[in-house]
Each structure stands twice: as structure tokens, then as C-alpha cells.
Amino acid sequence: MTLHMMLTRRAVHQSSILLRTMSSKAYVVPVDPKNPAGHPAPGVNPAALWFSLLQAQKPAKVDMSLLFYGIPVFDVTSFVSLGEGFHSKAGDVRREIVCKAVGSDVESAKGLGDGVSEAVIDTSTDPQAATIAAHLVLYNFSLKTSPPSAFDPRGTAGVPKKLGISMNASSADWDRGVVYVNVQNLARTATL
């Protein structure tokens, strides 16, 4: 085992210990492999980080995540690929790709454990699609199993969230997406 591999293993191990003992943020950044951009957190340059990695012969597939522990300090930055040819997609196809990628990455952030208290979504690609995906993945609707979902259809209390969701820049599309998700979740539990 080389010295570089040992140092890398140690850094990852120390970062995972920090994540378990501290409350940190996970920055979720949807990235077009050909043109990485965005503004996830102060001091984080997605293009520089993306191109610092060894590039494979084929571009990364949709929803493939790359985690950077300790960037920024005590936090996690997660790049999720939007797949090959994303720049040439338009309309609903583009929106579905963003939904799939962000949803997958928020699910991964949720799996990091109690050390991550908030997912900060980079909304520079499609704010509404990112909002919808990030919020939908938090809910686990299992109305026909035991125990039933914690969602109260009367609207007296929301579903308890294990992970806070926020955006990196304010947007009317983000607010519109939150309303859309709440209506969709209410419709899932409504009885006729």
C-alpha cells in the first residue's frame, strides 16, 4: 500500500468520524460532466474539483455521485452527474434528469447518518425540479404496511424530517416547487 493510499484512507476515516460526531451540511451539486458549474458553497469551485478527478473514457451516468469529505471544512460536497449530453436536452426530459439526479443524491446524503443535519441544494440547473426531488425523497409513504406513514392527511403536523433541505440561492421556482411537493404528498394520503 502506498503512502498516498494510506493518507487518503486515514483522511476519509477521520472525516467519517467527524460526520458522526458533528452536525454538518451536505452540499448537493448537480453537474453536467462536460460543463461543471454551480455555486454550492463559498470557496468551492465545482469545475476545478470535477476536473481534478481522473476522467473515465465514458462520461459519468445520470445520478452517479462523488463525495468530497471536508469540502468545505466539516461538511460534505456531493457532485451528482446529469449524464452525457445533458446540455443538449430540453424541456421535461431535462427536468426529469435533474429530478432523478438530485433525488438520488439527497437519498445518499440521508444515508450519511445523523452527522449530516441539512442538505443544501445547488439550484442553478433547475430550481423547481431540484426542489421537488429533494423534498419527495424525504417522505416514506407506507400506508398499507405497519407502522403507517407519519404523514397526517388533516395537515395538523407535517412528516417529521430527518434531514433539513435548503437552497443555496433564493428563487421563486424553489418556493413553487415546495408548494407542489406538499400538494403531491397530501394527495398521496387523501382518502375519498
Side-chain angles (χ1 to χ4, degrees):
M1 184 180 303
T2 66
L3 178 62
H4 176 70
M5 288 174 60
M6 290 187 327
L7 292 174
T8 303
R9 275 189 162 171
R10 182 179 175 142
V12 168
H13 178 68
Q14 288 173 342
S15 295
S16 65
I17 290 172
L18 283 173
L19 282 176
R20 281 181 274 170
T21 59
M22 299 183 66
S23 179
S24 61
K25 296 180 181 179
Y27 293 92
V28 175
V29 186
V31 174
D32 180 356
K34 296 289 184 189
N35 185 21
H39 309 288
V44 177
N45 181 348
L49 277 174
W50 185 264
F51 289 122
S52 70
L53 302 170
L54 292 175
Q55 299 297 316
Q57 291 178 348
K58 293 182 180 180
K61 294 181 179 181
V62 175
D63 81 7
M64 188 199 89
S65 295
L66 299 169
L67 293 173
F68 295 91
Y69 292 95
I71 298 177
V73 178
F74 301 122
D75 292 331
V76 177
T77 297
S78 177
F79 289 165
V80 59
S81 174
L82 296 171
E84 183 177 11
F86 177 76
H87 60 280
S88 64
K89 308 269 194 278
D92 288 341
V93 172
R94 186 178 179 98
R95 180 164 280 184
E96 286 300 318
I97 291 171
V98 172
C99 278
K100 180 178 179 182
V102 170
S104 169
D105 218 32
V106 170
E107 186 72 34
S108 297
K110 198 167 78 169
L112 289 174
D114 294 335
V116 176
S117 61
E118 180 181 7
V120 180
I121 313 299
D122 179 14
T123 58
S124 60
T125 308
D126 186 338
Q128 188 172 354
T131 305
I132 291 167
H135 283 85
L136 281 178
V137 80
L138 291 181
Y139 298 103
N140 182 17
F141 289 97
S142 54
L143 298 176
K144 297 183 180 183
T145 61
S146 180
S149 172
F151 188 75
D152 181 6
R154 295 177 302 257
T156 56
V159 174
K161 294 182 180 176
K162 294 180 182 177
L163 182 69
I165 300 289
S166 65
M167 61 184 160
N168 65 340
S170 60
S171 165
D173 286 334
W174 177 271
D175 297 335
R176 191 176 306 114
V178 170
V179 170
Y180 180 87
V181 165
N182 287 334
V183 168
Q184 187 173 355
N185 287 330
L186 179 62
R188 287 179 176 181
T189 58
T191 56
L192 298 175

PDB file of all heavy atoms in Angstrom, residues 83-118:
ATOM      1  N   GLY A  83     -25.328  13.245 -16.481  1.00  0.00           N
ATOM      2  CA  GLY A  83     -25.192  12.325 -17.610  1.00  0.00           C
ATOM      3  C   GLY A  83     -24.690  12.968 -18.889  1.00  0.00           C
ATOM      4  O   GLY A  83     -24.624  14.183 -19.035  1.00  0.00           O
ATOM      5  N   GLU A  84     -24.338  12.087 -19.805  1.00  0.00           N
ATOM      6  CA  GLU A  84     -23.799  12.512 -21.095  1.00  0.00           C
ATOM      7  C   GLU A  84     -24.882  13.223 -21.912  1.00  0.00           C
ATOM      8  O   GLU A  84     -26.032  12.803 -21.955  1.00  0.00           O
ATOM      9  CB  GLU A  84     -23.307  11.283 -21.859  1.00  0.00           C
ATOM     10  CG  GLU A  84     -22.654  11.608 -23.177  1.00  0.00           C
ATOM     11  CD  GLU A  84     -22.108  10.358 -23.854  1.00  0.00           C
ATOM     12  OE1 GLU A  84     -22.417   9.245 -23.402  1.00  0.00           O
ATOM     13  OE2 GLU A  84     -21.383  10.515 -24.828  1.00  0.00           O
ATOM     14  N   GLY A  85     -24.510  14.314 -22.541  1.00  0.00           N
ATOM     15  CA  GLY A  85     -25.421  15.033 -23.428  1.00  0.00           C
ATOM     16  C   GLY A  85     -26.477  15.851 -22.715  1.00  0.00           C
ATOM     17  O   GLY A  85     -27.467  16.248 -23.329  1.00  0.00           O
ATOM     18  N   PHE A  86     -26.289  16.136 -21.434  1.00  0.00           N
ATOM     19  CA  PHE A  86     -27.290  16.909 -20.698  1.00  0.00           C
ATOM     20  C   PHE A  86     -27.499  18.287 -21.307  1.00  0.00           C
ATOM     21  O   PHE A  86     -28.621  18.773 -21.386  1.00  0.00           O
ATOM     22  CB  PHE A  86     -26.892  17.046 -19.220  1.00  0.00           C
ATOM     23  CG  PHE A  86     -27.850  17.889 -18.433  1.00  0.00           C
ATOM     24  CD1 PHE A  86     -29.076  17.374 -18.061  1.00  0.00           C
ATOM     25  CD2 PHE A  86     -27.534  19.190 -18.085  1.00  0.00           C
ATOM     26  CE1 PHE A  86     -29.974  18.144 -17.345  1.00  0.00           C
ATOM     27  CE2 PHE A  86     -28.428  19.970 -17.372  1.00  0.00           C
ATOM     28  CZ  PHE A  86     -29.655  19.439 -16.996  1.00  0.00           C
ATOM     29  N   HIS A  87     -26.418  18.899 -21.755  1.00  0.00           N
ATOM     30  CA  HIS A  87     -26.510  20.245 -22.327  1.00  0.00           C
ATOM     31  C   HIS A  87     -27.401  20.301 -23.565  1.00  0.00           C
ATOM     32  O   HIS A  87     -27.948  21.347 -23.902  1.00  0.00           O
ATOM     33  CB  HIS A  87     -25.110  20.788 -22.647  1.00  0.00           C
ATOM     34  CG  HIS A  87     -24.373  19.940 -23.642  1.00  0.00           C
ATOM     35  ND1 HIS A  87     -23.737  18.776 -23.286  1.00  0.00           N
ATOM     36  CD2 HIS A  87     -24.192  20.076 -24.972  1.00  0.00           C
ATOM     37  CE1 HIS A  87     -23.194  18.227 -24.356  1.00  0.00           C
ATOM     38  NE2 HIS A  87     -23.448  18.986 -25.391  1.00  0.00           N
ATOM     39  N   SER A  88     -27.579  19.194 -24.250  1.00  0.00           N
ATOM     40  CA  SER A  88     -28.404  19.177 -25.463  1.00  0.00           C
ATOM     41  C   SER A  88     -29.866  18.818 -25.186  1.00  0.00           C
ATOM     42  O   SER A  88     -30.699  18.896 -26.077  1.00  0.00           O
ATOM     43  CB  SER A  88     -27.829  18.190 -26.480  1.00  0.00           C
ATOM     44  OG  SER A  88     -27.896  16.872 -25.961  1.00  0.00           O
ATOM     45  N   LYS A  89     -30.190  18.442 -23.961  1.00  0.00           N
ATOM     46  CA  LYS A  89     -31.565  18.089 -23.598  1.00  0.00           C
ATOM     47  C   LYS A  89     -32.365  19.359 -23.313  1.00  0.00           C
ATOM     48  O   LYS A  89     -31.815  20.385 -22.957  1.00  0.00           O
ATOM     49  CB  LYS A  89     -31.583  17.191 -22.366  1.00  0.00           C
ATOM     50  CG  LYS A  89     -30.701  15.968 -22.452  1.00  0.00           C
ATOM     51  CD  LYS A  89     -31.437  14.795 -22.989  1.00  0.00           C
ATOM     52  CE  LYS A  89     -30.724  13.498 -22.780  1.00  0.00           C
ATOM     53  NZ  LYS A  89     -29.729  13.106 -23.653  1.00  0.00           N
ATOM     54  N   ALA A  90     -33.689  19.260 -23.466  1.00  0.00           N
ATOM     55  CA  ALA A  90     -34.533  20.419 -23.216  1.00  0.00           C
ATOM     56  C   ALA A  90     -35.856  19.977 -22.601  1.00  0.00           C
ATOM     57  O   ALA A  90     -36.235  18.801 -22.673  1.00  0.00           O
ATOM     58  CB  ALA A  90     -34.789  21.177 -24.519  1.00  0.00           C
ATOM     59  N   GLY A  91     -36.567  20.925 -22.006  1.00  0.00           N
ATOM     60  CA  GLY A  91     -37.926  20.700 -21.524  1.00  0.00           C
ATOM     61  C   GLY A  91     -38.042  19.679 -20.416  1.00  0.00           C
ATOM     62  O   GLY A  91     -37.237  19.635 -19.480  1.00  0.00           O
ATOM     63  N   ASP A  92     -39.068  18.831 -20.542  1.00  0.00           N
ATOM     64  CA  ASP A  92     -39.372  17.849 -19.499  1.00  0.00           C
ATOM     65  C   ASP A  92     -38.292  16.788 -19.347  1.00  0.00           C
ATOM     66  O   ASP A  92     -38.067  16.283 -18.246  1.00  0.00           O
ATOM     67  CB  ASP A  92     -40.716  17.169 -19.789  1.00  0.00           C
ATOM     68  CG  ASP A  92     -41.896  18.096 -19.542  1.00  0.00           C
ATOM     69  OD1 ASP A  92     -41.720  19.103 -18.818  1.00  0.00           O
ATOM     70  OD2 ASP A  92     -42.986  17.819 -20.076  1.00  0.00           O
ATOM     71  N   VAL A  93     -37.610  16.465 -20.424  1.00  0.00           N
ATOM     72  CA  VAL A  93     -36.531  15.470 -20.346  1.00  0.00           C
ATOM     73  C   VAL A  93     -35.419  16.000 -19.436  1.00  0.00           C
ATOM     74  O   VAL A  93     -34.923  15.293 -18.552  1.00  0.00           O
ATOM     75  CB  VAL A  93     -35.969  15.146 -21.752  1.00  0.00           C
ATOM     76  CG1 VAL A  93     -34.741  14.266 -21.665  1.00  0.00           C
ATOM     77  CG2 VAL A  93     -37.037  14.508 -22.608  1.00  0.00           C
ATOM     78  N   ARG A  94     -35.064  17.238 -19.606  1.00  0.00           N
ATOM     79  CA  ARG A  94     -34.035  17.883 -18.789  1.00  0.00           C
ATOM     80  C   ARG A  94     -34.475  17.925 -17.319  1.00  0.00           C
ATOM     81  O   ARG A  94     -33.710  17.619 -16.415  1.00  0.00           O
ATOM     82  CB  ARG A  94     -33.777  19.284 -19.330  1.00  0.00           C
ATOM     83  CG  ARG A  94     -32.653  20.011 -18.682  1.00  0.00           C
ATOM     84  CD  ARG A  94     -32.497  21.387 -19.362  1.00  0.00           C
ATOM     85  NE  ARG A  94     -31.434  22.142 -18.773  1.00  0.00           N
ATOM     86  CZ  ARG A  94     -30.212  22.230 -19.243  1.00  0.00           C
ATOM     87  NH1 ARG A  94     -29.894  21.593 -20.362  1.00  0.00           N
ATOM     88  NH2 ARG A  94     -29.311  22.943 -18.643  1.00  0.00           N
ATOM     89  N   ARG A  95     -35.737  18.289 -17.102  1.00  0.00           N
ATOM     90  CA  ARG A  95     -36.270  18.378 -15.746  1.00  0.00           C
ATOM     91  C   ARG A  95     -36.266  17.007 -15.059  1.00  0.00           C
ATOM     92  O   ARG A  95     -35.932  16.889 -13.885  1.00  0.00           O
ATOM     93  CB  ARG A  95     -37.678  18.951 -15.792  1.00  0.00           C
ATOM     94  CG  ARG A  95     -38.303  19.074 -14.431  1.00  0.00           C
ATOM     95  CD  ARG A  95     -39.482  19.970 -14.468  1.00  0.00           C
ATOM     96  NE  ARG A  95     -38.940  21.317 -14.440  1.00  0.00           N
ATOM     97  CZ  ARG A  95     -39.659  22.409 -14.377  1.00  0.00           C
ATOM     98  NH1 ARG A  95     -40.951  22.340 -14.377  1.00  0.00           N
ATOM     99  NH2 ARG A  95     -39.085  23.588 -14.330  1.00  0.00           N
ATOM    100  N   GLU A  96     -36.627  15.961 -15.769  1.00  0.00           N
ATOM    101  CA  GLU A  96     -36.636  14.611 -15.201  1.00  0.00           C
ATOM    102  C   GLU A  96     -35.230  14.150 -14.835  1.00  0.00           C
ATOM    103  O   GLU A  96     -35.043  13.462 -13.829  1.00  0.00           O
ATOM    104  CB  GLU A  96     -37.289  13.614 -16.163  1.00  0.00           C
ATOM    105  CG  GLU A  96     -38.783  13.733 -16.241  1.00  0.00           C
ATOM    106  CD  GLU A  96     -39.480  13.493 -14.907  1.00  0.00           C
ATOM    107  OE1 GLU A  96     -39.081  12.563 -14.171  1.00  0.00           O
ATOM    108  OE2 GLU A  96     -40.411  14.248 -14.596  1.00  0.00           O
ATOM    109  N   ILE A  97     -34.261  14.526 -15.648  1.00  0.00           N
ATOM    110  CA  ILE A  97     -32.873  14.164 -15.341  1.00  0.00           C
ATOM    111  C   ILE A  97     -32.424  14.841 -14.053  1.00  0.00           C
ATOM    112  O   ILE A  97     -31.803  14.220 -13.191  1.00  0.00           O
ATOM    113  CB  ILE A  97     -31.935  14.523 -16.524  1.00  0.00           C
ATOM    114  CG1 ILE A  97     -32.218  13.599 -17.705  1.00  0.00           C
ATOM    115  CG2 ILE A  97     -30.481  14.435 -16.106  1.00  0.00           C
ATOM    116  CD1 ILE A  97     -31.507  13.994 -18.980  1.00  0.00           C
ATOM    117  N   VAL A  98     -32.747  16.125 -13.911  1.00  0.00           N
ATOM    118  CA  VAL A  98     -32.387  16.855 -12.688  1.00  0.00           C
ATOM    119  C   VAL A  98     -33.086  16.225 -11.484  1.00  0.00           C
ATOM    120  O   VAL A  98     -32.473  16.025 -10.436  1.00  0.00           O
ATOM    121  CB  VAL A  98     -32.721  18.360 -12.813  1.00  0.00           C
ATOM    122  CG1 VAL A  98     -32.531  19.072 -11.484  1.00  0.00           C
ATOM    123  CG2 VAL A  98     -31.867  19.015 -13.886  1.00  0.00           C
ATOM    124  N   CYS A  99     -34.368  15.889 -11.628  1.00  0.00           N
ATOM    125  CA  CYS A  99     -35.111  15.246 -10.533  1.00  0.00           C
ATOM    126  C   CYS A  99     -34.455  13.936 -10.113  1.00  0.00           C
ATOM    127  O   CYS A  99     -34.253  13.681  -8.918  1.00  0.00           O
ATOM    128  CB  CYS A  99     -36.552  14.985 -10.948  1.00  0.00           C
ATOM    129  SG  CYS A  99     -37.631  16.402 -10.790  1.00  0.00           S
ATOM    130  N   LYS A 100     -34.133  13.108 -11.072  1.00  0.00           N
ATOM    131  CA  LYS A 100     -33.538  11.807 -10.774  1.00  0.00           C
ATOM    132  C   LYS A 100     -32.188  11.977 -10.065  1.00  0.00           C
ATOM    133  O   LYS A 100     -31.909  11.308  -9.071  1.00  0.00           O
ATOM    134  CB  LYS A 100     -33.351  11.012 -12.067  1.00  0.00           C
ATOM    135  CG  LYS A 100     -32.750   9.645 -11.865  1.00  0.00           C
ATOM    136  CD  LYS A 100     -32.629   8.884 -13.168  1.00  0.00           C
ATOM    137  CE  LYS A 100     -32.002   7.524 -12.933  1.00  0.00           C
ATOM    138  NZ  LYS A 100     -31.818   6.779 -14.164  1.00  0.00           N
ATOM    139  N   ALA A 101     -31.374  12.887 -10.578  1.00  0.00           N
ATOM    140  CA  ALA A 101     -30.036  13.088 -10.020  1.00  0.00           C
ATOM    141  C   ALA A 101     -30.098  13.672  -8.607  1.00  0.00           C
ATOM    142  O   ALA A 101     -29.458  13.154  -7.686  1.00  0.00           O
ATOM    143  CB  ALA A 101     -29.225  13.998 -10.943  1.00  0.00           C
ATOM    144  N   VAL A 102     -30.875  14.730  -8.419  1.00  0.00           N
ATOM    145  CA  VAL A 102     -30.943  15.371  -7.102  1.00  0.00           C
ATOM    146  C   VAL A 102     -31.593  14.433  -6.093  1.00  0.00           C
ATOM    147  O   VAL A 102     -31.131  14.305  -4.956  1.00  0.00           O
ATOM    148  CB  VAL A 102     -31.682  16.724  -7.182  1.00  0.00           C
ATOM    149  CG1 VAL A 102     -31.973  17.270  -5.796  1.00  0.00           C
ATOM    150  CG2 VAL A 102     -30.865  17.727  -7.976  1.00  0.00           C
ATOM    151  N   GLY A 103     -32.660  13.754  -6.485  1.00  0.00           N
ATOM    152  CA  GLY A 103     -33.311  12.814  -5.583  1.00  0.00           C
ATOM    153  C   GLY A 103     -32.364  11.714  -5.123  1.00  0.00           C
ATOM    154  O   GLY A 103     -32.320  11.364  -3.939  1.00  0.00           O
ATOM    155  N   SER A 104     -31.608  11.188  -6.048  1.00  0.00           N
ATOM    156  CA  SER A 104     -30.640  10.146  -5.725  1.00  0.00           C
ATOM    157  C   SER A 104     -29.579  10.659  -4.753  1.00  0.00           C
ATOM    158  O   SER A 104     -29.192   9.965  -3.803  1.00  0.00           O
ATOM    159  CB  SER A 104     -29.975   9.657  -7.007  1.00  0.00           C
ATOM    160  OG  SER A 104     -28.879   8.848  -6.726  1.00  0.00           O
ATOM    161  N   ASP A 105     -29.130  11.870  -4.975  1.00  0.00           N
ATOM    162  CA  ASP A 105     -28.067  12.428  -4.137  1.00  0.00           C
ATOM    163  C   ASP A 105     -28.574  12.795  -2.744  1.00  0.00           C
ATOM    164  O   ASP A 105     -27.863  12.621  -1.767  1.00  0.00           O
ATOM    165  CB  ASP A 105     -27.436  13.628  -4.827  1.00  0.00           C
ATOM    166  CG  ASP A 105     -25.948  13.687  -4.604  1.00  0.00           C
ATOM    167  OD1 ASP A 105     -25.315  12.621  -4.485  1.00  0.00           O
ATOM    168  OD2 ASP A 105     -25.407  14.807  -4.532  1.00  0.00           O
ATOM    169  N   VAL A 106     -29.787  13.314  -2.646  1.00  0.00           N
ATOM    170  CA  VAL A 106     -30.347  13.611  -1.328  1.00  0.00           C
ATOM    171  C   VAL A 106     -30.556  12.312  -0.559  1.00  0.00           C
ATOM    172  O   VAL A 106     -30.323  12.244   0.648  1.00  0.00           O
ATOM    173  CB  VAL A 106     -31.651  14.429  -1.442  1.00  0.00           C
ATOM    174  CG1 VAL A 106     -32.360  14.528  -0.103  1.00  0.00           C
ATOM    175  CG2 VAL A 106     -31.355  15.825  -1.976  1.00  0.00           C
ATOM    176  N   GLU A 107     -30.969  11.263  -1.250  1.00  0.00           N
ATOM    177  CA  GLU A 107     -31.105   9.947  -0.614  1.00  0.00           C
ATOM    178  C   GLU A 107     -29.746   9.495  -0.077  1.00  0.00           C
ATOM    179  O   GLU A 107     -29.658   8.944   1.025  1.00  0.00           O
ATOM    180  CB  GLU A 107     -31.646   8.933  -1.617  1.00  0.00           C
ATOM    181  CG  GLU A 107     -31.953   7.586  -1.036  1.00  0.00           C
ATOM    182  CD  GLU A 107     -33.178   7.574  -0.140  1.00  0.00           C
ATOM    183  OE1 GLU A 107     -34.133   8.311  -0.400  1.00  0.00           O
ATOM    184  OE2 GLU A 107     -33.155   6.808   0.841  1.00  0.00           O
ATOM    185  N   SER A 108     -28.685   9.728  -0.831  1.00  0.00           N
ATOM    186  CA  SER A 108     -27.335   9.382  -0.371  1.00  0.00           C
ATOM    187  C   SER A 108     -26.945  10.213   0.849  1.00  0.00           C
ATOM    188  O   SER A 108     -26.351   9.695   1.790  1.00  0.00           O
ATOM    189  CB  SER A 108     -26.316   9.610  -1.482  1.00  0.00           C
ATOM    190  OG  SER A 108     -26.568   8.766  -2.562  1.00  0.00           O
ATOM    191  N   ALA A 109     -27.279  11.501   0.823  1.00  0.00           N
ATOM    192  CA  ALA A 109     -26.972  12.380   1.960  1.00  0.00           C
ATOM    193  C   ALA A 109     -27.726  11.925   3.200  1.00  0.00           C
ATOM    194  O   ALA A 109     -27.199  11.954   4.309  1.00  0.00           O
ATOM    195  CB  ALA A 109     -27.313  13.823   1.624  1.00  0.00           C
ATOM    196  N   LYS A 110     -28.960  11.487   3.011  1.00  0.00           N
ATOM    197  CA  LYS A 110     -29.760  10.972   4.121  1.00  0.00           C
ATOM    198  C   LYS A 110     -29.099   9.734   4.710  1.00  0.00           C
ATOM    199  O   LYS A 110     -29.143   9.506   5.914  1.00  0.00           O
ATOM    200  CB  LYS A 110     -31.163  10.650   3.599  1.00  0.00           C
ATOM    201  CG  LYS A 110     -32.212  10.524   4.663  1.00  0.00           C
ATOM    202  CD  LYS A 110     -33.610  10.513   4.076  1.00  0.00           C
ATOM    203  CE  LYS A 110     -33.973   9.196   3.477  1.00  0.00           C
ATOM    204  NZ  LYS A 110     -35.393   9.074   3.135  1.00  0.00           N
ATOM    205  N   GLY A 111     -28.444   8.958   3.874  1.00  0.00           N
ATOM    206  CA  GLY A 111     -27.778   7.745   4.311  1.00  0.00           C
ATOM    207  C   GLY A 111     -26.457   7.984   5.025  1.00  0.00           C
ATOM    208  O   GLY A 111     -25.877   7.053   5.568  1.00  0.00           O
ATOM    209  N   LEU A 112     -25.972   9.219   5.035  1.00  0.00           N
ATOM    210  CA  LEU A 112     -24.717   9.512   5.723  1.00  0.00           C
ATOM    211  C   LEU A 112     -24.888   9.477   7.234  1.00  0.00           C
ATOM    212  O   LEU A 112     -23.913   9.478   7.962  1.00  0.00           O
ATOM    213  CB  LEU A 112     -24.167  10.876   5.292  1.00  0.00           C
ATOM    214  CG  LEU A 112     -23.619  10.941   3.875  1.00  0.00           C
ATOM    215  CD1 LEU A 112     -23.242  12.369   3.510  1.00  0.00           C
ATOM    216  CD2 LEU A 112     -22.427  10.027   3.696  1.00  0.00           C
ATOM    217  N   GLY A 113     -26.120   9.486   7.696  1.00  0.00           N
ATOM    218  CA  GLY A 113     -26.374   9.341   9.127  1.00  0.00           C
ATOM    219  C   GLY A 113     -26.711  10.640   9.817  1.00  0.00           C
ATOM    220  O   GLY A 113     -26.953  11.673   9.193  1.00  0.00           O
ATOM    221  N   ASP A 114     -26.719  10.561  11.138  1.00  0.00           N
ATOM    222  CA  ASP A 114     -27.133  11.695  11.959  1.00  0.00           C
ATOM    223  C   ASP A 114     -26.147  12.849  11.931  1.00  0.00           C
ATOM    224  O   ASP A 114     -26.486  13.952  12.347  1.00  0.00           O
ATOM    225  CB  ASP A 114     -27.336  11.243  13.405  1.00  0.00           C
ATOM    226  CG  ASP A 114     -28.500  10.287  13.535  1.00  0.00           C
ATOM    227  OD1 ASP A 114     -29.394  10.340  12.669  1.00  0.00           O
ATOM    228  OD2 ASP A 114     -28.511   9.492  14.489  1.00  0.00           O
ATOM    229  N   GLY A 115     -24.937  12.623  11.475  1.00  0.00           N
ATOM    230  CA  GLY A 115     -23.950  13.693  11.426  1.00  0.00           C
ATOM    231  C   GLY A 115     -24.299  14.777  10.435  1.00  0.00           C
ATOM    232  O   GLY A 115     -23.892  15.920  10.572  1.00  0.00           O
ATOM    233  N   VAL A 116     -25.076  14.446   9.424  1.00  0.00           N
ATOM    234  CA  VAL A 116     -25.497  15.432   8.430  1.00  0.00           C
ATOM    235  C   VAL A 116     -26.911  15.860   8.769  1.00  0.00           C
ATOM    236  O   VAL A 116     -27.836  15.056   8.759  1.00  0.00           O
ATOM    237  CB  VAL A 116     -25.426  14.852   7.003  1.00  0.00           C
ATOM    238  CG1 VAL A 116     -25.952  15.844   5.995  1.00  0.00           C
ATOM    239  CG2 VAL A 116     -23.999  14.470   6.664  1.00  0.00           C
ATOM    240  N   SER A 117     -27.065  17.139   9.092  1.00  0.00           N
ATOM    241  CA  SER A 117     -28.372  17.636   9.515  1.00  0.00           C
ATOM    242  C   SER A 117     -29.113  18.379   8.419  1.00  0.00           C
ATOM    243  O   SER A 117     -30.308  18.584   8.517  1.00  0.00           O
ATOM    244  CB  SER A 117     -28.208  18.562  10.718  1.00  0.00           C
ATOM    245  OG  SER A 117     -27.396  19.669  10.359  1.00  0.00           O
ATOM    246  N   GLU A 118     -28.403  18.787   7.372  1.00  0.00           N
ATOM    247  CA  GLU A 118     -29.041  19.603   6.337  1.00  0.00           C
ATOM    248  C   GLU A 118     -28.411  19.316   4.981  1.00  0.00           C
ATOM    249  O   GLU A 118     -27.198  19.155   4.870  1.00  0.00           O
ATOM    250  CB  GLU A 118     -28.866  21.080   6.680  1.00  0.00           C
ATOM    251  CG  GLU A 118     -29.485  22.028   5.700  1.00  0.00           C
ATOM    252  CD  GLU A 118     -29.261  23.486   6.073  1.00  0.00           C
ATOM    253  OE1 GLU A 118     -28.507  23.769   7.024  1.00  0.00           O
ATOM    254  OE2 GLU A 118     -29.838  24.338   5.406  1.00  0.00           O
TER     255      GLU A 118
END
